[in-house]
Amino acid sequence: MKALVYKGPGEKSWEEVPDPKIEQPTDVVVKMAATTICGTDLHILKGDVPEVEPGRILGHEGIGVITEIGSGVSQLAVGDRVIISCVSSCGRCSYCRKGIYSHCLDPEGMAGIGWIFGYMIDGAQAEYVRVPFAENSVYKVPDGMTDAEGILLSDILPTGFEIGVQYGHVNPGDVVAVVGSGPVGLAAVMTSRLYGPSKVIAIDLDDARLKRARDFGATDTVNSGDADWRDQVLGLTDGLGVDVAIEAVGLPGTFTMTTEIVRPGGNVANIGVHGKPVELKLNELWIKNIDISMGLVNTNTVGMLLKLVAEHKLPAEKFVTHEFGFDQMLEAYEVFGNAAEHDALKVLIH
Amino acid sequence: MKALVYKGPGEKSWEEVPDPKIEQPTDVVVKMAATTICGTDLHILKGDVPEVEPGRILGHEGIGVITEIGSGVSQLAVGDRVIISCVSSCGRCSYCRKGIYSHCLDPEGMAGIGWIFGYMIDGAQAEYVRVPFAENSVYKVPDGMTDAEGILLSDILPTGFEIGVQYGHVNPGDVVAVVGSGPVGLAAVMTSRLYGPSKVIAIDLDDARLKRARDFGATDTVNSGDADWRDQVLGLTDGLGVDVAIEAVGLPGTFTMTTEIVRPGGNVANIGVHGKPVELKLNELWIKNIDISMGLVNTNTVGMLLKLVAEHKLPAEKFVTHEFGFDQMLEAYEVFGNAAEHDALKVLIH
Amino acid sequence: MKALVYKGPGEKSWEEVPDPKIEQPTDVVVKMAATTICGTDLHILKGDVPEVEPGRILGHEGIGVITEIGSGVSQLAVGDRVIISCVSSCGRCSYCRKGIYSHCLDPEGMAGIGWIFGYMIDGAQAEYVRVPFAENSVYKVPDGMTDAEGILLSDILPTGFEIGVQYGHVNPGDVVAVVGSGPVGLAAVMTSRLYGPSKVIAIDLDDARLKRARDFGATDTVNSGDADWRDQVLGLTDGLGVDVAIEAVGLPGTFTMTTEIVRPGGNVANIGVHGKPVELKLNELWIKNIDISMGLVNTNTVGMLLKLVAEHKLPAEKFVTHEFGFDQMLEAYEVFGNAAEHDALKVLIH
Amino acid sequence: MKALVYKGPGEKSWEEVPDPKIEQPTDVVVKMAATTICGTDLHILKGDVPEVEPGRILGHEGIGVITEIGSGVSQLAVGDRVIISCVSSCGRCSYCRKGIYSHCLDPEGMAGIGWIFGYMIDGAQAEYVRVPFAENSVYKVPDGMTDAEGILLSDILPTGFEIGVQYGHVNPGDVVAVVGSGPVGLAAVMTSRLYGPSKVIAIDLDDARLKRARDFGATDTVNSGDADWRDQVLGLTDGLGVDVAIEAVGLPGTFTMTTEIVRPGGNVANIGVHGKPVELKLNELWIKNIDISMGLVNTNTVGMLLKLVAEHKLPAEKFVTHEFGFDQMLEAYEVFGNAAEHDALKVLIH
């Protein structure tokens, strides 16, 4: 089959590799109908994630059809159309039993936890992929759902919802601010509306992205390049700050922004993947009765989000701005890697 | 009356001052039976809290008898023996209605919020004190409770319980670590046992304090001066870290310790009053699904803790290591200010 | 002034009575701009609530302007336009401190708890009303809000939201069923949408009411007169039942309906005021891991709902189907008392 | 092997039957070291549970050693000493993913859900037992734990804790009442102490059982045969009732008792298995803001309770009052079936 292979820092190739096959009784093999690219893939390609070895097939998002099942698989069948979850989980360890699938203890000695596709094992930017612990790690696609809708359930929508909205404890009537209007920030904007907020404020440096944020459900926008951006945000509240501030960038500066706009008693929810430590002003914050959460998606809301997408209550398909064939994989990377220039959000490769 | 007056950085005096009197219909005046000193008072005296003006009577903890009530007070009477709460609250603003008394919006224009005694208004290290919003800010003392028991309810016990144990979400079976074995750390140790933990690990640099921590309910102790202190802590868990790590010191280093021992999916609860920013290693922590909480005590568990102390289910009196008369106020400060030398925890001035 | 006075079972009168005046320092007097009638008022008039004495002015909902304030009132002023909450609370007893205002311990010895207007003290169907504990019991009306919007905040909207939606633990993606499409049932339908449900099923015997329920946000309707009504409801789920079943009638039969359609692990939330015991089939239900809640509104979400109504996120004004002048009070009762005939929901008397 | 076989209403036999063997890849076979008898077994024997077919081996509690594993089992090995959970669960259906193992959707078409041992499939009162979905349904026994300790984890301790204490939302400082001092009631008494209650009141008709309840952690006892039993209970509170009332009998009268002693805002948690409907006085209770929960144990706290028992923080072994050999199975039934006469609680058959 063909696959996108990491060849070491800065190097990738769309090349012929051996087909995956069943290795464990709980595996399935999926023929991919569509996959996509995530910011994390770009990080790996830059060499920022040294534990990824050259030769690894990248990608952790996708939708496809099961072509083979392991001997221990009874609830899935060849021919099932499924969404691949970015997090794999055994379903029986102490973390899985608490629903913290992101920290599955991985009892079979498989390297890595939770997120393994395109990281510790071969991933989804390929014509076929092997899925371990399949019954806990794929979701059957409801009839009528398109690939463009379904692929958002692999990672982006549950990440924005679980790590942004749920960890941030958004409640009806809240004012929510989301710093960063990239895919995961927009997923937080869109899904925060499930909890009846009073306002959802999108904050970004790019007016084009802010304009798009309104289309995803933001009620207000603030350009953080403005000198008075913080006053603008506070002016959209009762003056005390927002109830929930969600970080969806992954830089020290954007994290600090969230702590500067959250009200006493409020919540900061970090979704961003950070490469550096940040300075936390505990000298000012210790007295504010705030809560700072962070984490990798558990994907335990995928089933629920899938239902709402199928019922057209969440317009997931809006995320897909560009489409490519599998043999245009390198072009897709080119567009996604220069997202601003191409006004790209998510690229669908099918 | 006599009172302990802040005279500017480094200066204090036990001197004659005018008696307080009712200023608002919701005030009461209390004749103090006992008061105590908090680490915060030492900070103010050093000049670390510049918003405190010279001339201010210090102290925010105490127990006494009501001698006068305002015209709007109907649920308290002259002669009632009451505990003064370190946090004042109006009971009717939007924060109070959510139980976040620490951020009472202070609608009458009184400077400061929540904590005002010995800070924005005259405090409790005096023979008499005026208590604003009295019906929301004092607690009647049950029969048979001693001053030494009751005074711990002003601040220490609810702070350790609410900000350490409750914000840290201690659950039955958890392994809890408390960094710092001073009064508030020991309050967290003692009250964490209300949630049936598996282990409570006290961590401190001082073996004498660790020995005392065991008397307050710690099941295990680790001296953080040991090079392998972290391994010792992890060795008391399943190797993945503690469920809840409570910071009760207020220094960057001790805060960092909590983030180094918390397990994925666990909680860090900061109680310490910090004077400097800390470095938060979001590059390592973003993926750990942890939660970091912080805040000023709300005192909304005082009624419950009072009941347990009265029933001798929480041995609050253990905190009092030294006793003084009111006219020995300066000696009390001397002992508390050199707590290590005197092996002092809380001093009772009565 | 003129007021609607209960004269004993079956008897009422719109008559001249003495103006109310300040009795306690925490009282205010409000000149009513608008009031309305509740089903409870009809029960009282029938004599079903014998503790209500003849001579009592009825009504517990209203909006108006403060004309007089007690000496202990500092956060309200003459001229403030306010909504009167159907529940009065002292803000300082142990129940109020937990936010359970409906069970305020009423420390001043006032007869009754929580709900007292038009029950234990004179109510709001009058030109003026005295409001005890005013600072905890009225809400300032935001600029631009109409009387028709504001009056729904006195009782109907918070009751539907708190006792139906919040006690029922509605979550994003849930299927919610509301039995009964009267005012409080429709309030539950409308406010359940704040938690992003998948479906909201209105169930009633009257097709006209079901038609209206769609206008209030129901996604589906089932006529409970149909022999297969239960199968229709289950057919709108995955076959296992609804996540949350809300009772908004107050009869044994409608309560039983909720227990027949709730799925294992789901919630039954009773809002209805019941006059008789019900049979609970614990022999079938003990194994279903369901939760049955009930209660009087606490009104602690009024501030939040007020904000959403002011922002036109909740179309509260839809509830008002008929309007009358104060001097048409008896006609208003005639219409509301025969609501089905007049297709009436809430009547606004102003 | 030998097993206790249900032969139809009123008939049982300890007889030779075929050894169980692996049927599914996720099965294991366990050689029983110890088993016990539950009240449910007596109900089945009386013919109260008609869906149990003659020929069924009874019992759903036990501890033993794995002798055989299915091809899909990787986390368990032959020789592992394990506790059998009374609830079986697949770990991958939508209910399992929410931790509601008691309502596992049983995707392989196995009859029954959650509880199946000694009900829909052959049970644990035998020399060997086949365990389906073994990796989600057994727990490895820590070194040093005795059979008498471990067997309580199969059902009694998690049932009392999850359905009584957790569903009842016991909190520090609460007054808890447990109606019924049989094994499951005593499990609720013992485990309620994990949440730091102020008082745990055991209520029963039998003074001998009440005496034993004190040994299990009850702080107070009330004999419900006393005419003033309710006043006695209220007298142990502030007069308003208990915070949490736990039903551990399963009769209409004992259920009604819990609703008569719960305070406004409190919780009723039903553990009892009921054979008849009960009358619920909604006419009195609708206004009380109480919550009534019920359900079958999910066993998702077994791991935690196991840890506390291993650390001797829960003296589980106290439940075992009588011991028998496997060949004395019928005598064990005789003693357990006449528990009052023999002062029996749990019988250990090993």
Side-chain angles (χ1 to χ4, degrees):
Chain A
M1 68 167 185
K2 287 288 197 77
L4 192 285
V5 180
Y6 171 62
K7 312 293 281 190
E11 302 292 325
K12 64 179 179 292
S13 160
W14 175 251
E15 64 184 35
E16 192 67 29
V17 295
D19 284 6
K21 53 181 201 293
I22 300 292
E23 295 178 13
Q24 300 288 338
T26 50
D27 288 351
V28 303
V29 171
V30 173
K31 181 180 196 320
M32 301 306 294
T35 186
T36 183
I37 308 171
C38 176
T40 311
D41 299 320
L42 303 181
H43 278 292
I44 293 171
L45 279 170
K46 276 200 274 181
D48 290 353
V49 191
E51 60 268 39
V52 179
E53 294 176 1
R56 175 69 64 231
I57 299 171
L58 297 186
H60 51 266
E61 298 161 281
I63 186 167
V65 173
I66 294 177
T67 55
E68 209 179 337
I69 65 170
S71 63
V73 173
S74 56
Q75 297 176 38
L76 295 168
V78 169
D80 282 351
R81 187 166 166 242
V82 294
I83 292 163
I84 290 172
S85 174
C86 65
V87 159
S88 303
S89 57
C90 75
R92 48 205 186 193
C93 71
S94 61
Y95 274 93
C96 284
R97 285 185 156 249
K98 287 182 182 168
I100 310 179
Y101 301 122
S102 57
H103 292 278
C104 171
L105 289 176
D106 189 18
E108 294 190 21
M110 188 178 291
I113 49 158
W115 167 44
I116 51 172
F117 282 123
Y119 176 51
M120 289 295 148
I121 65 170
D122 284 333
Q125 291 165 5
E127 292 177 320
Y128 292 86
V129 66
R130 179 183 71 90
V131 182
F133 300 121
E135 288 175 323
N136 285 288
S137 307
V138 305
Y139 292 83
K140 290 190 199 175
V141 184
D143 289 342
M145 182 175 286
T146 67
D147 290 347
E149 289 170 332
I151 205 160
L152 276 306
L153 275 310
S154 282
D155 180 346
I156 291 302
L157 275 180
T159 295
F161 183 63
E162 294 176 18
I163 308 304
V165 178
Q166 289 195 322
Y167 276 22
H169 296 288
V170 175
N171 270 307
D174 278 358
V175 178
V176 179
V178 180
V179 179
S181 293
V184 79
L186 293 177
V189 166
M190 182 184 281
T191 57
S192 68
R193 302 194 65 80
L194 294 176
Y195 283 103
S198 158
K199 290 178 184 159
V200 181
I201 308 169
I203 304 175
D204 199 288
L205 279 165
D206 180 337
D207 281 334
R209 285 155 72 100
L210 290 174
K211 186 155 175 289
R212 183 150 56 194
R214 284 192 182 272
D215 188 42
F216 278 75
T219 58
D220 300 88
T221 59
V222 170
N223 189 310
S224 48
D226 294 350
D228 68 341
W229 73 271
R230 184 171 177 273
D231 289 341
Q232 290 181 45
V233 174
L234 296 198
L236 291 165
T237 73
D238 56 3
L240 294 172
V242 303
D243 297 283
V244 183
I246 297 175
E247 206 277 354
V249 180
L251 293 173
T254 45
F255 177 79
T256 298
M257 287 168 67
T258 59
T259 64
E260 289 172 351
I261 56 176
V262 70
R263 72 195 288 113
N267 294 281
V268 167
N270 181 80
I271 316 180
V273 176
H274 288 258
K276 293 186 212 155
V278 302
E279 187 189 72
L280 181 68
K281 292 199 178 120
L282 266 189
N283 49 325
E284 296 171 4
L285 297 172
W286 75 267
I287 202 172
K288 285 191 76 175
N289 295 64
I290 63 167
D291 207 80
I292 302 173
S293 61
M294 61 203 69
L296 183 66
V297 64
N298 288 312
T299 66
N300 42 21
T301 63
V302 173
M304 185 278 284
L305 293 168
L306 195 56
K307 188 167 71 162
L308 291 181
V309 171
E311 292 172 352
H312 305 294
K313 294 198 168 67
L314 284 175
E317 70 289 352
K318 286 193 181 197
F319 284 89
V320 176
T321 55
H322 295 72
E323 301 194 29
F324 300 91
F326 269 102
D327 54 358
Q328 297 171 296
M329 181 67 78
L330 297 179
E331 290 167 59
Y333 260 94
E334 165 62 22
V335 166
F336 186 74
N338 298 280
E341 185 182 317
H342 295 280
D343 203 22
L345 208 50
K346 289 297 278 187
V347 299
L348 186 75
I349 300 144
H350 60 140
Chain B
M1 70 167 184
K2 286 287 196 76
L4 192 285
V5 180
Y6 172 60
K7 312 294 282 186
E11 302 291 326
K12 63 178 177 296
S13 161
W14 175 252
E15 65 184 34
E16 191 68 29
V17 296
D19 283 6
K21 50 182 206 291
I22 299 293
E23 296 178 13
Q24 300 288 338
T26 49
D27 287 351
V28 304
V29 172
V30 173
K31 181 178 194 324
M32 301 305 294
T35 186
T36 183
I37 308 171
C38 177
T40 312
D41 300 319
L42 303 181
H43 277 292
I44 294 171
L45 278 169
K46 275 199 275 182
D48 290 353
V49 191
E51 59 270 36
V52 179
E53 295 177 1
R56 176 68 66 233
I57 299 172
L58 298 186
H60 51 266
E61 298 163 279
I63 187 167
V65 173
I66 294 177
T67 55
E68 210 179 336
I69 66 170
S71 63
V73 174
S74 57
Q75 296 177 39
L76 294 169
V78 169
D80 283 350
R81 185 164 167 245
V82 294
I83 290 163
I84 289 172
S85 175
C86 64
V87 160
S88 303
S89 57
C90 75
R92 47 205 187 193
C93 71
S94 61
Y95 273 93
C96 283
R97 285 184 157 252
K98 287 181 183 169
I100 310 180
Y101 301 123
S102 56
H103 292 279
C104 172
L105 289 176
D106 189 19
E108 294 189 22
M110 187 179 293
I113 48 159
W115 167 42
I116 50 172
F117 282 122
Y119 176 52
M120 289 296 149
I121 65 170
D122 283 333
Q125 291 165 6
E127 291 176 320
Y128 291 86
V129 65
R130 177 182 72 90
V131 182
F133 299 122
E135 288 176 323
N136 285 288
S137 307
V138 304
Y139 292 83
K140 290 190 199 174
V141 184
D143 289 343
M145 182 176 285
T146 66
D147 290 348
E149 289 170 333
I151 205 160
L152 276 306
L153 275 310
S154 282
D155 180 344
I156 292 300
L157 275 181
T159 294
F161 184 62
E162 295 176 16
I163 309 304
V165 178
Q166 288 195 323
Y167 276 22
H169 296 287
V170 175
N171 270 307
D174 277 359
V175 177
V176 179
V178 180
V179 179
S181 293
V184 81
L186 293 178
V189 166
M190 184 185 279
T191 57
S192 69
R193 302 195 64 81
L194 294 177
Y195 284 103
S198 158
K199 289 179 185 158
V200 181
I201 308 169
I203 303 174
D204 199 289
L205 280 164
D206 180 338
D207 282 333
R209 286 155 72 100
L210 289 174
K211 188 156 173 288
R212 183 150 56 196
R214 283 190 182 272
D215 188 42
F216 278 74
T219 57
D220 300 87
T221 60
V222 171
N223 190 309
S224 47
D226 294 351
D228 67 341
W229 73 271
R230 182 170 178 273
D231 289 341
Q232 288 181 45
V233 174
L234 296 197
L236 292 166
T237 73
D238 56 4
L240 295 172
V242 302
D243 297 281
V244 183
I246 297 175
E247 206 279 352
V249 179
L251 293 173
T254 46
F255 177 79
T256 298
M257 286 168 68
T258 59
T259 64
E260 289 172 351
I261 56 175
V262 70
R263 72 194 289 116
N267 294 281
V268 168
N270 181 80
I271 317 180
V273 176
H274 289 259
K276 293 186 211 153
V278 302
E279 187 188 72
L280 181 67
K281 292 202 178 113
L282 267 188
N283 50 326
E284 296 171 3
L285 298 172
W286 75 268
I287 201 172
K288 285 191 76 177
N289 296 64
I290 63 167
D291 208 82
I292 302 173
S293 61
M294 60 203 70
L296 184 65
V297 64
N298 289 310
T299 66
N300 42 21
T301 63
V302 173
M304 184 278 283
L305 293 168
L306 195 56
K307 188 166 71 161
L308 291 182
V309 171
E311 293 172 351
H312 305 295
K313 293 198 169 65
L314 285 175
E317 71 288 352
K318 287 194 181 199
F319 284 89
V320 176
T321 55
H322 294 72
E323 301 194 28
F324 300 91
F326 269 103
D327 54 0
Q328 297 171 295
M329 181 67 79
L330 297 179
E331 289 167 59
Y333 259 95
E334 165 61 23
V335 165
F336 186 73
N338 298 281
E341 185 182 317
H342 296 279
D343 202 22
L345 209 49
K346 290 295 278 186
V347 299
L348 186 75
I349 300 144
H350 60 137
Chain C
M1 69 167 185
K2 286 288 195 76
L4 191 286
V5 180
Y6 171 61
K7 312 294 281 188
E11 302 291 325
K12 63 179 178 294
S13 158
W14 174 252
E15 64 183 35
E16 192 69 28
V17 295
D19 282 6
K21 53 181 200 293
I22 299 292
E23 296 177 13
Q24 300 289 336
T26 49
D27 287 351
V28 304
V29 171
V30 173
K31 181 179 196 320
M32 302 305 294
T35 187
T36 183
I37 308 170
C38 178
T40 312
D41 300 320
L42 303 182
H43 278 292
I44 294 171
L45 278 170
K46 274 199 275 180
D48 290 352
V49 191
E51 58 270 39
V52 179
E53 294 175 1
R56 175 69 66 233
I57 299 172
L58 297 186
H60 51 267
E61 298 162 281
I63 187 167
V65 173
I66 293 177
T67 55
E68 208 179 337
I69 64 171
S71 63
V73 173
S74 57
Q75 297 176 40
L76 295 169
V78 168
D80 283 350
R81 184 163 168 247
V82 294
I83 291 163
I84 288 171
S85 175
C86 64
V87 160
S88 303
S89 57
C90 74
R92 47 204 187 192
C93 70
S94 61
Y95 272 93
C96 283
R97 285 183 157 251
K98 287 182 183 169
I100 310 180
Y101 300 123
S102 56
H103 292 278
C104 173
L105 288 176
D106 188 19
E108 293 189 24
M110 187 179 291
I113 49 159
W115 166 43
I116 50 173
F117 282 122
Y119 176 52
M120 289 296 149
I121 66 171
D122 284 335
Q125 291 165 7
E127 291 176 321
Y128 291 87
V129 66
R130 178 183 72 91
V131 182
F133 300 122
E135 289 176 324
N136 284 290
S137 307
V138 305
Y139 291 83
K140 289 190 200 175
V141 184
D143 290 343
M145 183 176 285
T146 66
D147 291 347
E149 288 169 333
I151 206 162
L152 276 307
L153 276 310
S154 282
D155 180 346
I156 292 301
L157 275 180
T159 294
F161 184 62
E162 295 176 16
I163 307 305
V165 178
Q166 289 196 324
Y167 276 22
H169 297 286
V170 175
N171 270 307
D174 278 359
V175 178
V176 180
V178 180
V179 179
S181 292
V184 81
L186 293 177
V189 166
M190 183 184 279
T191 58
S192 69
R193 302 196 64 80
L194 294 176
Y195 283 103
S198 158
K199 289 179 185 157
V200 181
I201 308 169
I203 304 175
D204 200 287
L205 279 165
D206 179 338
D207 281 334
R209 287 156 71 100
L210 289 175
K211 186 153 175 291
R212 184 149 56 192
R214 285 192 180 270
D215 188 42
F216 278 73
T219 58
D220 299 270
T221 58
V222 171
N223 190 311
S224 46
D226 294 350
D228 68 340
W229 74 271
R230 183 170 178 271
D231 289 341
Q232 289 181 45
V233 174
L234 296 198
L236 292 165
T237 74
D238 56 3
L240 294 172
V242 303
D243 297 283
V244 183
I246 297 176
E247 205 280 352
V249 179
L251 293 173
T254 47
F255 177 79
T256 298
M257 286 168 69
T258 60
T259 64
E260 289 172 350
I261 57 176
V262 68
R263 72 197 286 114
N267 294 280
V268 167
N270 181 80
I271 316 180
V273 176
H274 288 259
K276 292 186 211 155
V278 302
E279 185 187 71
L280 181 67
K281 292 200 177 115
L282 267 189
N283 49 327
E284 295 170 5
L285 298 171
W286 75 268
I287 201 171
K288 285 191 77 176
N289 296 65
I290 63 167
D291 207 80
I292 302 172
S293 61
M294 60 203 70
L296 183 66
V297 64
N298 289 310
T299 67
N300 43 19
T301 64
V302 173
M304 184 279 283
L305 293 169
L306 195 55
K307 189 166 73 161
L308 292 181
V309 171
E311 293 172 351
H312 305 296
K313 293 197 169 67
L314 284 176
E317 71 287 353
K318 288 193 179 196
F319 284 89
V320 176
T321 54
H322 295 71
E323 302 194 29
F324 300 91
F326 270 103
D327 54 359
Q328 297 172 294
M329 181 67 79
L330 297 178
E331 290 167 58
Y333 260 95
E334 165 62 22
V335 166
F336 186 74
N338 298 283
E341 184 182 319
H342 296 279
D343 203 21
L345 209 48
K346 288 296 279 185
V347 298
L348 186 74
I349 300 145
H350 60 138
Chain D
M1 69 167 186
K2 286 287 197 77
L4 191 285
V5 181
Y6 171 61
K7 313 294 282 188
E11 302 292 325
K12 63 179 178 293
S13 158
W14 175 252
E15 65 183 35
E16 193 68 29
V17 296
D19 283 6
K21 51 182 202 292
I22 300 291
E23 296 178 12
Q24 300 288 337
T26 49
D27 287 352
V28 303
V29 171
V30 173
K31 181 179 194 321
M32 301 306 293
T35 187
T36 183
I37 307 170
C38 177
T40 311
D41 300 319
L42 303 182
H43 278 291
I44 294 171
L45 278 170
K46 274 200 274 182
D48 290 352
V49 191
E51 59 269 37
V52 179
E53 294 176 1
R56 175 69 65 231
I57 299 172
L58 298 186
H60 51 265
E61 298 161 280
I63 187 166
V65 174
I66 294 177
T67 55
E68 208 179 338
I69 65 172
S71 62
V73 173
S74 57
Q75 296 176 41
L76 294 169
V78 169
D80 283 350
R81 186 166 166 242
V82 295
I83 291 163
I84 289 172
S85 175
C86 65
V87 160
S88 303
S89 56
C90 74
R92 49 206 185 192
C93 71
S94 61
Y95 273 93
C96 284
R97 286 184 155 251
K98 288 181 181 169
I100 310 180
Y101 301 123
S102 57
H103 292 277
C104 172
L105 289 175
D106 189 21
E108 293 188 24
M110 187 179 293
I113 49 158
W115 165 44
I116 49 172
F117 282 122
Y119 176 53
M120 288 297 149
I121 65 171
D122 284 333
Q125 291 165 5
E127 291 177 319
Y128 291 87
V129 66
R130 178 183 72 91
V131 182
F133 300 122
E135 288 175 325
N136 285 290
S137 307
V138 305
Y139 292 84
K140 289 189 200 177
V141 184
D143 289 342
M145 181 175 285
T146 65
D147 291 346
E149 289 169 333
I151 206 161
L152 277 305
L153 275 311
S154 282
D155 179 346
I156 292 299
L157 275 180
T159 294
F161 184 62
E162 295 176 16
I163 308 305
V165 178
Q166 289 196 322
Y167 276 22
H169 295 287
V170 176
N171 270 307
D174 278 358
V175 177
V176 179
V178 180
V179 179
S181 293
V184 82
L186 293 178
V189 165
M190 183 184 282
T191 58
S192 68
R193 301 196 64 81
L194 294 176
Y195 283 104
S198 159
K199 288 178 186 158
V200 181
I201 308 169
I203 304 174
D204 200 287
L205 279 166
D206 179 337
D207 281 333
R209 284 154 74 101
L210 290 174
K211 186 153 174 288
R212 183 150 57 194
R214 286 192 181 268
D215 188 42
F216 278 74
T219 58
D220 300 87
T221 59
V222 170
N223 189 311
S224 47
D226 294 351
D228 67 342
W229 73 271
R230 184 171 177 271
D231 289 340
Q232 289 181 46
V233 174
L234 296 197
L236 291 165
T237 74
D238 56 4
L240 294 172
V242 302
D243 297 283
V244 183
I246 298 175
E247 205 279 352
V249 179
L251 293 173
T254 46
F255 177 79
T256 298
M257 286 169 68
T258 60
T259 65
E260 289 173 349
I261 57 175
V262 69
R263 72 196 286 113
N267 295 279
V268 167
N270 180 79
I271 316 179
V273 176
H274 289 258
K276 292 187 212 154
V278 302
E279 186 189 70
L280 181 68
K281 292 202 177 116
L282 267 189
N283 49 327
E284 295 171 6
L285 297 171
W286 76 267
I287 201 172
K288 285 192 77 176
N289 296 65
I290 62 167
D291 208 80
I292 302 173
S293 61
M294 61 203 70
L296 183 66
V297 65
N298 288 311
T299 66
N300 42 21
T301 63
V302 173
M304 184 278 283
L305 292 169
L306 195 56
K307 188 166 70 162
L308 292 181
V309 171
E311 292 172 352
H312 305 296
K313 293 197 169 66
L314 284 175
E317 71 288 352
K318 287 193 180 199
F319 284 90
V320 175
T321 55
H322 295 71
E323 301 194 30
F324 299 90
F326 270 102
D327 53 359
Q328 297 172 294
M329 181 67 79
L330 297 178
E331 289 167 59
Y333 260 95
E334 165 61 24
V335 166
F336 186 73
N338 298 282
E341 183 183 321
H342 296 280
D343 202 22
L345 210 48
K346 290 294 279 188
V347 299
L348 187 74
I349 299 143
H350 60 139

